[in-house]
Every structure is written in C-alpha cells, then in structure tokens.
Amino acid sequence: MAETGSLELERLGRIESEALEALAAVDSTTALEAWKVAHLGRKSSPLASALDSLGTLPKEQRPAFGKRGNEVKRALEAAFDARAEALRQAELERELTAGAFDVTQPGRPVVRGGLHPARRMLREIFAVCAEMGFQVYRSRDVESDEYNFQLLNIPPHHPARDMWSTFYIQGDERAAEGTLVLRTHTSPGQVRAMREMAPNPIRIIVPGMVYRYEQVSARKEIQFHQVEGLAVGRNIRMTDLNGTLVEFTRRIFGAERPYRLRCSHFPFTEPSVEMDIECAVCHGAGCSICGSGWLEILGAGMVHPTVLRNGGYDPNTFSGFAWGMGPERIAMLKYGITDIRDFWANDLRFLEQF
Ligand code: PHE
C-alpha cells in the first residue's frame, strides 16, 4: 500500500520537473502562453489529470497526494509569473537598445485646469473674513418673497423694491403668499441665520450667487456673487463696522488704495453706508468704466431694529452690523477687468489669464 502511495507522489514530482524543464526553454510570450495551457491548463495538463485521479486512490493516501498536488500547482504558477516578468524585462531592454524608445523625448503636456477668477476672489475673501472671525453660512438661491423682502423691512409695493429688479419664479410682485423669487441679494441669509442662532452672538458671511432682471452691460450682469457679512451681539457699534470694512479693504487691496464711505439708504440697515474703491483703470480721474473715478464694492449699515426683531433678537439688548459686497466688482478693481460680462462668457482667452 505504502508503495503505491510513494509511486503516486513520484508521479507528481515528475510532472513538476518536466514542466519546469519545459519552462526554462520558453523564450517568447507566445511560447509562454502555450506552456501555460499545456502545464497548468485545467483540462488536459498532466497535473490536472493527476489531480483528477485523486478519487481513485485509497482513502489514506488522498491527503498526502492532495497536499503535494497543490504544492506543485503553486510552484508552477510562481515559476510562470517569474518567467513572464523576465520576458517583459528582456523585451524592454531589446527595444531600448534597438532605439525603438527615445527616453529623452519630452512627455505630452498635461492640461491643467485652474480656478475661475470669481472662485479665486471668493476664496480670498473667505480667508480674510476667517481671520477676522467670520464663519461661512450657506443660504438658499430660491427665496420666498417674505425672506428676500418683507422680513428685511421691505413690504409689498414699497418703492425700495425698485432697487432690485426681480426674477419671479412663482407668483408676482404683489407678494401674495407662496411667491418665490431668485434671491436678488444675500441679505435674506441674515434673517435665516438669526432665526437659527438666536439668542447667540453671530459673526458670519453668507456667500452665493444672486440674480437680477437687468439689461446686461459692461457693468451689469443678471447673475453675480455677493458676500453678505453679519455680526450680531451686545455693544456692537458703527465704529466696529467701520473698522471691519477698512481692515477688509486694506487686506484685499493693500494699505495704499484709496477708499471712501458714503451715506446711503437700505431699508434693513440704519444708518446705512456704501463703500467705494478708487477705479483701477483711471485712478480716480473718471472714465467710461466708473464714471466718477470710484467703484462701489459694497452696501452696509447697522442692522435695523425691525430686522433684529424679525430674526429673534431684542433690539434693546442686541445690535449688529451687516454688509453686502460684490466679489466680481472687487476682482474687477483688483485686476483691472473692464467688462463684468467676461466672468460668465466662458471664454478661455479671459479665464486663462488667472
Ligand atoms: N443687500 C444689499 C444689496 O444687495 C447690500 C447690503 C447688505 C446693504 C447688507 C446693507 C447691508 O444691495
């Protein structure tokens, strides 16, 4: 019995050495594939038929035979992999010496995308605001008439609505319940944030696209970004607003760039101001881009008591300031861009300059 057992194991050993011998003679990938079929093929290889005969062996011989059979299989597979790798290397070296490859040839250029100038500007603004303690708060693009206007102290039919030519999505300017608009400014985010955070202090910016039903020109687009700023707390004063805005312009435009604050009016701030930066094109002389030598970059003011109340803050205890700035305007001033339409025209000759 033991005799037959060792005979069977010898048969496996022979299969292994014959296969390895044949493999040593293999010198091409085609021959290698043929070797694989002949010696590792599941149907007709000597190893496969040997393993198939396992069932015909006496029971006590089967474990040793099975074990050895698997060892042979693994050994042949490893030898196959090593041979394949060696052939690949040899082939590569042949091609190199034959000059089929020119390793000194420059590679194909990889096309690199870049950030859109508006996105760059936004990120720069986020960074400056973050350093001053303002967190990003996101608000929706489609707004109710209530949040876009009414809660900001602009009732239906109020003439102040003329400041924002509005895209109505549902309903109309009569502001019946259910009227939806594309937000004309990021200010509705003020009330949304206040209602979420009251009575805690707030220091946020609300960035996002705003939409206006405008005649498009070099200075006016139907869509552009705004970055709203809002600070609410105790003892917040106009001087805090002033300091924040001046520090912001110094960080974005440098300490030398002339700016000015003008009195203004917004229904949701009192008092209200606007901030102008000297025109990048004419340096204050007045030109076709700016008209007066100055370009407005933001509106701002102390949050109106009614708006504080709508947001859930008692105006006797709390105060706050807010601003709304236009990053595309800021980018135009910073980089001397003369046509706001370039931002969304998707012309690579413009976009690639940034
Ligand atoms: N929402 C105003 C606008 O779009 C700007 C603004 C924001 C003014 C906050 C004052 C305070 O013109």
Side-chain angles (χ1 to χ4, degrees):
M1 273 316 245
E3 285 285 282
T4 9
S6 63
L7 273 180
E8 290 301 330
L9 292 183
E10 263 172 41
R11 180 179 162 206
L12 286 172
R14 249 192 337 272
I15 289 173
E16 180 178 18
S17 49
E18 275 166 21
L20 290 176
E21 212 169 291
L23 185 63
V26 161
D27 60 356
S28 75
T29 42
T30 346
L32 185 64
E33 279 312 308
W35 179 90
K36 192 179 187 186
V37 175
H39 296 279
L40 278 168
R42 226 169 305 159
K43 281 213 186 91
S44 54
S45 66
L47 180 63
S49 13
L51 289 172
D52 274 347
S53 67
L54 182 78
T56 66
L57 291 181
K59 248 204 177 109
E60 65 278 9
Q61 290 179 15
R62 289 181 200 171
F65 186 79
K67 184 164 169 270
R68 181 76 183 112
N70 278 326
E71 281 168 12
V72 170
K73 186 159 179 262
R74 271 196 299 274
L76 292 187
E77 281 166 351
F80 170 84
D81 288 343
R83 193 79 198 127
E85 181 54 31
L87 283 174
R88 248 198 310 278
Q89 282 301 330
E91 196 143 325
L92 199 63
E93 258 155 52
R94 253 200 314 282
E95 284 183 9
L96 279 174
T97 41
F101 274 155
D102 180 0
V103 288
T104 64
Q105 200 174 37
R108 289 195 200 94
V110 178
V111 182
R112 269 254 217 114
L115 284 180
H116 190 280
R119 177 56 47 184
R120 269 170 189 270
M121 195 66 239
L122 277 171
R123 289 199 179 173
E124 207 175 314
I125 292 171
F126 293 172
V128 168
C129 290
E131 281 173 4
M132 296 198 288
F134 289 82
Q135 263 181 297
V136 171
Y137 177 89
R138 302 262 172 203
S139 189
R140 60 191 70 186
D141 287 36
V142 175
E143 265 299 358
S144 63
D145 186 276
E146 189 188 17
Y147 275 88
N148 196 78
F149 293 120
Q150 296 168 51
L151 293 169
L152 293 170
N153 204 23
I154 314 170
H157 304 296
H158 194 281
R161 287 192 176 217
D162 292 349
M163 288 164 80
W164 300 276
S165 324
T166 308
F167 283 115
Y168 287 88
I169 287 189
Q170 182 180 295
D172 56 35
E173 64 270 46
R174 280 167 298 175
E177 204 153 308
T179 295
L180 292 180
V181 303
L182 287 179
R183 65 175 168 196
T184 57
H185 50 179
T186 43
S187 300
Q190 286 188 32
V191 187
R192 292 203 177 269
M194 281 193 262
R195 289 191 166 181
E196 203 175 301
M197 299 175 194
N200 296 309
I202 299 178
R203 225 189 261 187
I204 53 160
I205 52 174
V206 187
M209 196 64 93
V210 302
Y211 309 86
R212 294 193 192 168
Y213 186 47
E214 301 270 14
Q215 178 73 49
V216 174
S217 73
R219 265 192 298 175
K220 282 191 174 161
E221 254 291 4
I222 59 170
Q223 61 167 52
F224 51 92
H225 287 100
Q226 278 193 342
V227 178
E228 195 85 5
L230 175 69
V232 177
R234 291 163 203 266
N235 302 317
I236 293 186
R237 292 158 304 180
M238 187 83 183
T239 46
D240 298 314
L241 169 62
N242 190 78
T244 304
L245 294 183
V246 171
E247 184 57 24
F248 176 84
T249 59
R250 290 166 71 96
R251 293 202 193 186
I252 294 285
F253 294 103
E256 305 305 321
R257 190 71 173 267
Y259 65 87
R260 68 180 187 189
L261 284 164
R262 277 181 291 112
C263 291
S264 185
H265 170 79
F266 298 101
F268 35 90
T269 46
E270 178 58 33
S272 303
V273 293
E274 279 175 45
M275 189 174 214
D276 298 336
I277 299 290
E278 194 181 83
C279 175
V281 176
C282 66
H283 300 286
C287 68
S288 59
I289 312 295
C290 61
S292 61
W294 300 89
L295 248 110
E296 179 202 331
I297 59 159
L298 59 86
M302 300 307 289
V303 181
H304 194 287
T306 300
V307 177
L308 280 173
R309 213 176 285 116
N310 289 340
Y313 290 82
D314 178 359
N316 296 314
T317 316
F318 292 95
S319 57
F321 65 76
W323 77 76
M325 60 177 62
E328 283 86 19
R329 276 286 181 84
I330 294 174
M332 289 172 85
L333 283 160
K334 205 172 153 142
Y335 302 115
I337 299 164
T338 52
D339 195 325
I340 199 168
R341 290 170 293 196
D342 285 336
F343 281 98
W344 317 121
N346 213 15
D347 186 334
L348 287 179
R349 287 170 301 178
F350 170 75
L351 297 172
E352 280 173 354
Q353 293 176 44
F354 295 90

